[in-house]
């Protein structure tokens, strides 16, 4: 039906006859001639309808935006002065001698080349939104990215193996999406939050190297940029340690950035321990593009006569930290400092102390701060020294539980980086390692896995692990890029006794462990190889690489933050017969429907 | 952790030091020496433990089947006479000088190299089942097949685009799996039976060429070889007709068979109309490897004095057909003919008339049949002529509603092909085309789509379509291979009015159409290109290509016929809290739980 794509036409094809198919992107009438920009997946080309070809011209008069056409014509060079250097095809145009209107179109709810369209409208008419060249380019790039990843992994001997979507509910982790079983009344499948246990079983099956680009599901209250269903590049390997796995994964990501963005990422990626990441950046996914760091000053504040600092400084779970902004004293207004004080309260901070360094040479006189009076000279001097302050610096302080200080100053660090345009361009990947194995939950009064219950601890000794869970580190690792966690994984437990011990520490009794994970504990007994893996959030990785601001822009048919599909109006009401077949009734607090 | 895979070792590596990882496949003690067959993904190699290396030998004495080992040793040529020509590594062995038991194993429920293991046991311990080299090879081939398909489609400009899993219930077709929404009380998502509407929307979005290897779901009562979740290679193209699409798809399948099986499939594939397929093979997915055909004899039987034949011969929906088996009179015993008579009753036939042709030269005397007396000479002669019978032939007859005759003789044709070893080896692909657009359902008293409601009819004229639905053919096509439908698709409706008309014929009222397919009808208005596509059942295609007998053998973690996962024990009971959050109650006929 066509000889070329619109976007393929160029000067080498001048005088050729072509058949094109596409959409009317724009129509202009000028000097008795009709010009149509015809659009297809490859781009846009200008079609000229001359009244001297009356048949085509008459049809062309009926054309409106988004009509679907088939056109036959001759390529010619555009008359001098009418070239369009912004268009790859801008040196040529097609003189139409035949036109076939394959489908007319009603006026669309928005113009395809309109910017700033309300997102609800975009999602409601997603098929129109996706016609926009920027959106199309994103999905072409996404396809290229997945294809490159697959090729790399195939070449490295990874087997692409599919795992079930209708599977068993996983009690640890986020909330499952459930699927009632018709043939087993009262029982439910769960949609996978990840293929974690299946990929481990594949290692026990001797598959050695596995990968899958796989849909995962989490029924969470959607935060800013989460989707109920998302796509994961899921990977697992046998007979390896952290070093082997991290090397291969780094090469993969480096290859991807070279091929897609012509960017050379560092080799190797830098690595930070969890502890160091929190100390220096207040975050376990630090954005290294921002050249600001937190400075530990807890030890200086234990004896100061300022309770706001002294109390957290003396609390084993507290922290006092400084964030020094070079030139901040000059660049940040009183108003901005007030805004930041409000900003940190969103992270639980009760305030934001600061010291303005007007003149480093003038001693106390050169400093300006409401808290100055509480701090002895030696403390001030050491703070200035540690933060490497200079005349013009502004030093912010966080003092609270360490968690709050880290979150507040970590977020402030990024905000100031953005506000003062300090964030460097480019790509800053790193590994974060040496995570704690467990985290104590004060509300539920029990240990939780920081990663997941199948992550191996660094200690091999079970007694040592059970004696001191809080100080035990795991063999987990996260890959972080520009402040986003793009991948995370671990070496897994491969022995029954260790897995059972971890379940015990997590407060999962033997009976419960049997019921929920019995098949895993059993499988571990029959010759499980040492293994580990990683999973990348593909939507987020693609989003970063294509320069989109939301993962919704790299998912063809995403859901809203209330988990609606505005296009199809899913979820929807189901017939009573269907519910009866599934042995369930709808039950809201107000009423029981059928 | 290793220098080589076990299966990679060969004579070129003799005298090399290697580090291997794998499982103890078998252990033999012979002449004071311990031999271990070590197995990994790449194969098996023999390890020798000599008492002269006491440390390794002592550890080796503890080895049992399926222990996980790391071994260091030296490759040497096997002593003359001990080579194993059945093993790719059979010319060499590894003399171990160090061994590390990475994980012991309890005795497994079955031996890994055991054949004929009960399928329930295999599924219960799937991770052991998958360790068997035949199973492993299947998944390696499956990964190769999907990789080749992707590469082909990428090169042809198809974009790999993901579509939602949590979507809207599709009222036409099989039963949906449903997912209750937590955030929208009383509403449900459905898991997709196929991405049909989304791929059409992607064409309307201008994606031009789309593919996806995608999980689909059908909550059906599982027949012999169906799974509740299955994988589809899903494809859609814009600005094409049947010829273009079928050509590309044929090339893809030919490429696949060349690359994977070194088999040249015909170019082009033969094509049969639906009508012809039924007439000649009794099936719209004929296995052309069986050199037997049905012969139409209805017209001969309208006036015979044998009601069993005359009645269907005079019924517009009836059929009398013959199936001639060359040498059948000699090869088939009385007992076999009786068995076949029982066999066809499973397909609704009431009996199986036959004529034995003992001697073609002897007239009626040369024939043997209980029905001979009812048939005049001329009828007999024409039957013999049409069926190309010879001395030794056996002619079976089916006489009933056409549907029953086709199913019974179609199945009998395959059975005899198998029993008499007539089925030719090799691969016989074909297209089946010109399907009826609609099928009348006598029970529900309404028309159903033979393909699906989005399939374009051959007529363009809506009035003509509505006036005569039964004679209208669709633009659907199926790809059939060795008697299995491996792919099916159609050119789709791309105009609102035609889509609305088809909904009307299907008895879907305007309001219902709006509610269920409103978004599609709306999308068609804004410039929908002509488009069409196809979907391949990947599990079945892989099953055929790897020579497995069940799709369960090419799915890593399949479900049983009652939709159970024997490994994880899904589906399972869910906590009352979880159900409450989902606004549902379990409700069986006996009781309401929670």
């Amino acid at each position: 039906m066509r000889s070329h794509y619109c976007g393929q036409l160029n000067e080498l094809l001048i005088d050729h006859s072509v058949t094109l198919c596409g959409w009317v992107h724009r129509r202009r009438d000028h000097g008795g001639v009709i010009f149509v920009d015809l659009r297809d997946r490859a781009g846009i080309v200008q079609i000229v309808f001359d009244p001297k070809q009356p048949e085509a011209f008459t049809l062309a008069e009926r054309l409106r935006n988004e009509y679907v056409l088939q056109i036959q014509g001759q390529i010619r060079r555009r008359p001098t002065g009418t070239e369009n250097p912004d268009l790859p095809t801008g040196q040529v145009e097609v003189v139409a001698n035949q036109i076939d209107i394959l489908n007319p179109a009603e006026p669309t709810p928005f113009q395809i080349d309109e910017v700033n369209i309300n997102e609800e409208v975009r999602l409601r008419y997603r098929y129109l939104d996706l016609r926009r060249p920027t959106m199309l380019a994103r999905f072409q790039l996404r396809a290229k990215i997945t294809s490159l990843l697959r090729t790399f992994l195939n070449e490295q001997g990874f087997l692409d193996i599919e795992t079930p979507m209708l599977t068993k509910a996983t009690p640890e982790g986020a909330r499952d999406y459930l699927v009632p079983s018709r043939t087993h009344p009262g029982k439910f499948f769960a949609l996978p939050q990840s293929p974690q246990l299946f990929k481990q079983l594949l290692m026990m099956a001797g598959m050695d190297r596995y990968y899958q680009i796989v849909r995962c599901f989490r029924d969470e209250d959607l935060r800013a940029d989460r989707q109920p269903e998302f796509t994961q590049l899921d990977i697992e390997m046998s007979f390896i340690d952290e070093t082997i796995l991290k090397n291969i994964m780094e090469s993969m990501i480096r290859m991807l950035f070279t091929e897609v963005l012509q960017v050379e990422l560092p080799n190797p990626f830098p690595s930070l321990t969890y502890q160091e990441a929190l100390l220096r950046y207040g975050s376990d996914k630090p954005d290294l593009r921002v050249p600001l760091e937190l400075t530990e000053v807890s030890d200086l504040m234990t004896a100061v006569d300022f309770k706001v600092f002294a109390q957290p400084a003396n609390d084993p779970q507290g922290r006092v930290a400084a964030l020094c902004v070079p030139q901040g004293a000059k660049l940040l207004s009183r108003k901005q400092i007030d805004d930041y004080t409000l900003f940190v309260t969103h992270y639980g901070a009760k305030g934001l102390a600061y010291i303005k360094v007007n003149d480093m040479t003038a001693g106390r006189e050169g400093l300006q701060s409401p808290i100055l009076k509480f701090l002895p000279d030696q403390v001030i001097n050491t703070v200035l020294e540690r933060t490497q302050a200079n005349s013009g610096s502004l030093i912010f302080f966080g003092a609270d539980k360490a968690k709050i200080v880290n979150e507040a100053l970590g977020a402030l660090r990024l905000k100031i980086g953005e506000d003062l345009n300090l964030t460097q361009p480019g790509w800053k990947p790193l590994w974060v390692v040496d995570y704690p194995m467990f985290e104590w939950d004060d509300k539920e009064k029990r240990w939780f896995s920081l990663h997941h219950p199948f992550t191996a601890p660094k200690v091999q000794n079970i007694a040592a692990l059970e004696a001191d869970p809080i100080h035990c580190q795991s063999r987990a690792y996260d890959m972080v890029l520009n402040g986003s966690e793009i991948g995370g994984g671990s070496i897994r437990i491969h022995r029954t006794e260790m897995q059972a011990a971890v379940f015990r520490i997590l407060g999962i009794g033997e009976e419960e462990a049997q019921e929920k994970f019995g098949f895993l504990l059993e499988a571990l007994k029959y010759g499980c190889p040492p293994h580990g893996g990683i999973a990348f959030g593909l939507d987020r990785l693609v989003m970063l690489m294509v320069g989109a601001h939301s993962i919704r822009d790299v998912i063809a048919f995403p859901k809203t933050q209330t988990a609606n599909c505005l296009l199809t109006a899913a979820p929807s009401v189901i017939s009573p017969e269907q519910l009866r077949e599934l042995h369930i009734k709808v039950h809201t607090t107000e009423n029981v429907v059928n």
Side-chain angles (χ1 to χ4, degrees), chain A:
Chain A
M1 283 182 75
R2 66 178 147 209
S3 63
H4 296 77
Y5 280 94
C6 297
Q8 286 178 329
L9 304 189
N10 59 39
E11 294 161 275
L12 296 175
L13 293 166
I14 281 170
D15 293 334
H16 280 65
S17 285
V18 291
T19 307
L20 304 174
C21 291
W23 285 260
V24 174
H25 191 63
R26 225 178 275 110
R27 170 189 157 179
R28 291 179 309 280
D29 297 27
H30 185 71
V33 175
I34 297 174
F35 295 91
V36 163
D37 284 348
L38 192 68
R39 188 191 68 237
D40 67 15
R41 196 178 84 181
I44 287 173
V45 73
Q46 178 166 288
I47 316 288
V48 185
F49 295 90
D50 198 292
K52 279 173 250 165
Q53 300 264 11
E55 207 175 319
F57 188 84
T58 311
L59 268 174
E61 285 184 307
R62 289 171 42 196
L63 298 181
R64 298 288 175 270
N65 280 0
E66 300 308 311
Y67 270 44
V68 185
L69 309 182
Q70 186 186 40
I71 277 177
Q72 283 176 41
Q74 201 96 10
I75 306 184
R76 71 176 183 200
R77 187 179 297 282
R78 291 204 195 184
T80 313
T82 67
E83 301 93 342
N84 181 352
D86 296 337
L87 216 57
T89 65
Q91 299 301 314
V92 299
E93 59 191 12
V94 176
V95 185
N97 43 46
Q98 208 184 313
I99 171 173
D100 191 356
I101 298 180
L102 299 174
N103 218 350
E106 293 188 5
T108 48
F110 55 87
Q111 295 303 309
I112 299 304
D113 53 2
E114 212 172 314
V115 275
N116 292 327
I117 309 151
N118 174 297
E119 198 185 9
E120 285 209 4
V121 177
R122 288 176 54 199
L123 293 178
R124 167 93 174 70
Y125 300 97
R126 187 60 157 181
Y127 45 90
L128 299 179
D129 185 40
L130 292 176
R131 282 186 198 167
R132 300 190 295 140
T134 46
M135 289 302 280
L136 179 60
R138 286 171 178 166
F139 287 91
Q140 287 179 303
L141 219 50
R142 181 171 179 139
K144 183 176 179 184
I145 288 169
T146 53
S147 163
L148 286 166
L149 290 171
R150 288 180 185 283
T151 304
F152 177 91
L153 290 165
N154 290 341
E155 282 169 0
Q156 297 282 332
F158 288 83
L159 289 179
D160 180 4
I161 302 175
E162 296 186 65
T163 53
M165 289 280 157
L166 294 173
T167 178
K168 191 172 178 164
T170 51
E172 291 283 301
R175 205 184 279 109
D176 284 320
Y177 275 103
L178 296 178
V179 183
S181 162
R182 181 176 55 85
T183 44
H184 300 90
K187 294 192 174 181
F188 293 76
F189 293 102
L191 300 179
Q193 295 184 29
S194 94
Q196 182 61 36
L197 293 182
F198 287 110
K199 68 176 174 173
Q200 292 192 234
L201 288 165
L202 287 173
M203 294 304 102
M204 302 179 206
M207 293 294 170
D208 205 71
R209 293 185 171 201
Y210 143 94
Y211 83 96
Q212 190 184 187
I213 294 182
V214 61
R215 202 68 55 81
C216 300
F217 303 83
R218 281 182 202 172
D219 186 9
E220 290 176 300
D221 299 306
L222 301 184
R223 275 182 276 154
D225 211 17
R226 293 277 184 102
Q227 286 279 311
E229 49 178 317
F230 55 95
T231 302
Q232 197 162 287
L233 169 59
D234 199 45
I235 289 170
E236 198 81 4
M237 302 174 74
S238 294
F239 301 112
I240 49 126
D241 58 20
E242 293 86 332
T243 313
I244 299 172
L245 184 132
K246 282 158 65 186
N247 281 344
I248 297 186
M249 293 301 109
E250 271 192 26
S251 327
M252 180 178 78
I253 297 297
R254 270 195 300 272
M255 171 282 299
L256 199 60
F257 275 75
T258 307
E259 294 290 325
V260 177
L261 300 174
Q262 289 75 53
V263 163
E264 296 294 328
L265 295 184
N267 183 4
F269 289 1
S271 187
L272 279 176
T273 67
Y274 176 78
Q275 193 57 28
E276 198 182 353
L278 290 181
L279 278 176
R280 291 172 56 187
Y281 305 101
S283 166
D284 64 347
K285 42 183 184 193
D287 188 341
L288 299 187
R289 294 174 306 167
V290 180
L292 300 174
E293 289 197 18
L294 274 55
T295 307
E296 186 60 40
V297 293
S298 302
D299 58 314
L300 306 178
M301 305 299 177
T302 49
V304 297
D305 192 19
F306 181 42
K307 229 175 134 185
V308 174
F309 282 11
Q311 195 179 328
N314 287 294
D315 177 353
Q317 288 178 47
R319 181 179 188 192
V320 186
L323 176 67
C324 176
V325 183
Q327 303 305 311
K330 290 182 199 162
L331 298 172
L332 295 171
S333 66
R334 179 68 236 175
K335 163 97 174 57
Q336 267 172 305
I337 295 173
D338 286 347
D339 287 350
Y340 292 155
T341 308
L342 181 65
F343 176 80
V344 295
T345 61
H346 302 323
Y347 300 88
K350 285 180 283 289
L352 183 66
Y354 65 90
I355 298 176
K356 264 192 180 172
V357 185
N358 294 324
D359 182 356
M360 277 288 280
T361 61
R364 272 185 184 266
E365 299 307 304
L367 307 178
Q368 185 186 340
S369 165
I371 63 164
L372 218 53
K373 55 179 177 274
F374 302 119
L375 306 178
D377 281 354
Q378 209 200 324
V379 168
I380 293 179
N381 288 337
T382 315
V383 166
L384 292 177
E385 196 184 305
R386 282 200 195 162
T387 59
Q388 299 177 31
N390 278 313
S391 298
S393 294
L394 183 70
I395 307 168
F396 290 106
F397 293 89
D400 212 311
K401 294 282 180 198
K403 196 172 151 62
I404 291 175
V405 170
N406 290 336
E407 286 181 9
L409 290 192
L412 183 63
R413 174 179 169 269
L414 297 183
K415 178 142 185 62
I416 293 175
E418 203 185 311
D419 290 351
L420 297 188
N421 237 334
L422 299 173
T423 310
Q424 294 155 357
W427 302 95
K428 292 277 188 184
L430 76 151
W431 290 103
V432 178
V433 298
D434 293 352
Y435 283 83
M437 184 82 183
F438 303 103
E439 219 177 13
W440 180 256
D441 187 304
D442 247 352
K443 249 195 339 228
E444 298 207 20
K445 300 283 175 216
R446 73 169 183 97
W447 294 105
F448 274 84
S449 298
L450 203 76
H451 200 65
H452 58 51
F454 317 108
T455 299
K458 284 199 162 180
V459 292
Q460 307 260 357
N461 183 316
I462 291 177
L465 181 74
E466 299 205 68
D468 189 16
I470 194 157
H471 288 111
C472 182
Q473 287 179 348
S474 76
R475 296 176 69 183
Y477 32 78
D478 277 4
M479 190 190 283
V480 174
L481 180 66
N482 290 4
S484 287
E485 181 205 321
I486 57 168
S490 63
I491 301 299
R492 326 297 184 187
I493 297 169
H494 71 283
R495 288 175 182 262
T496 323
E497 312 81 55
M498 179 60 85
Q499 188 64 71
V502 167
F503 285 154
R504 272 199 304 278
I505 293 171
L506 293 173
I508 303 175
E510 216 159 302
E511 200 181 331
E512 191 186 352
Q514 272 309 323
E515 189 200 315
K516 291 175 177 169
F517 304 111
F519 64 99
L520 177 76
L521 290 169
E522 187 171 33
L524 288 170
K525 289 192 297 196
Y526 294 122
C528 172
H531 64 289
I534 193 167
F536 291 89
L538 190 66
D539 307 306
R540 177 147 292 114
L541 180 61
V542 172
M543 177 192 88
L544 290 172
M545 291 186 74
V546 307
H549 293 292
S550 159
I551 57 169
R552 291 188 296 279
D553 280 347
V554 296
I555 295 173
F557 301 101
K559 297 197 173 55
T560 63
Q561 294 214 9
T562 53
N564 268 317
C565 173
L566 295 180
L567 174 61
T568 61
S572 60
V573 172
I574 294 302
S575 77
E577 292 74 31
Q578 277 177 287
L579 295 182
R580 241 193 308 278
E581 278 193 318
L582 296 173
H583 322 284
I584 58 173
K585 283 192 174 196
V586 167
H587 173 253
T588 61
T589 41
E590 299 81 39
N591 60 336
V592 178
V593 182
N594 179 20

